[in-house]
Structure formats: structure tokens, C-alpha cells
Amino acid sequence: MSYYDTVYEIVKRIPRGKVATYGQIAAISGSPKASRAVGYALHFNPTPGVIPCHRVVNRNGGLAPAFAFGGIDAQRKLLTAEGVEVNADGTVDLDKYLARDLK
DNA sequence: ACCATGACTCCAT
DNA sequence: CATGGAGCCATGG
């Protein structure tokens, strides 16, 4: 699972109070279009608590609807606690919270 | 190498 | 706005 390891490393690098998109992680990991594989990697989530998967959002800035570790509301709560504003529809402002300098 | 799967993304209806 | 189909990639059988 070398590719997945890369994904985990990147996710762990996301600064507190910031978020990253699947496409962003995919690009940094080496395959800009492997967003699907990235999501799959997070689905495995081998080390919960270590990997902040709640900071990973889709291209629209929206979090996973249901398959998340504890539900979208749990992620919303965590993100809010870190300083990330989450909209009622479960999306975040990428213009402000996207970790552009990640990498 | 082929097929099936999936926390994605784009486009059409 | 909801739903569905097609394309992308990595993994496992």
C-alpha cells in the first residue's frame, strides 16, 4: 500500500484549521486524477485519530455525506473547533481554508 | 492482464 | 437541485 501511505502522509500534513481536497492530495501524491483512489485510501483509515480525515473535502469543499468516521455532523464539529467555518450544507470556504501551500 | 469496487469529478438529463 | 452515466486511478482477487 505505498500509494496509500503517501496519501496518509499528505493528510497528516494538513495544518490545523485548514482543509485539502481529494484532487489536491491526488496531485501531491503524484497522480492528479487519482482522487478516487485517495478517497479509497482514506476509507481504509488505518490509524483513526492520527489521520485527520475530517480535513479532507471534495472539490466543492463538501465533506463526505455518510461514510465518514462518525457522520458529517461530527466532522463539522471538529472543523468548527479548529477554526474552519462549515456551512449548513456541510461545505467549507475553500478560498479561505484550503491548504494551498501543502506539500 | 482482466474484472469489480469505491470517501471522486465532469457532464447530461 | 436530484439522478445517472462515463472516465479517471489504485487495489485485490
Side-chain angles (χ1 to χ4, degrees):
Chain A
M1 301 225 312
S2 57
Y3 180 79
Y4 287 0
D5 279 337
T6 305
V7 174
Y8 302 141
E9 289 298 306
I10 296 168
V11 175
K12 284 190 284 188
R13 285 182 212 163
I14 303 173
R16 181 179 176 283
K18 291 261 185 168
V19 298
T21 66
Y22 291 98
Q24 180 84 60
I25 296 169
I28 298 170
S29 65
S31 303
K33 294 174 183 175
S35 51
R36 226 167 176 160
V38 173
Y40 212 27
L42 290 178
H43 181 200
F44 284 73
N45 196 4
T47 56
V50 178
I51 302 175
C53 27
H54 57 274
R55 293 182 189 149
V56 184
V57 298
N58 58 29
R59 66 145 187 122
N60 193 35
L63 296 92
F67 285 92
F69 57 98
I72 192 170
D73 47 296
Q75 298 185 34
R76 173 174 14 189
K77 191 174 181 180
L78 287 168
L79 290 171
T80 304
E82 294 186 354
V84 178
E85 296 182 58
V86 181
N87 302 314
D89 54 0
T91 60
V92 302
D93 190 340
L94 294 179
D95 291 329
K96 292 183 176 301
Y97 303 110
L98 178 62
R100 291 183 169 77
D101 50 0
L102 181 67
K103 172 167 52 55

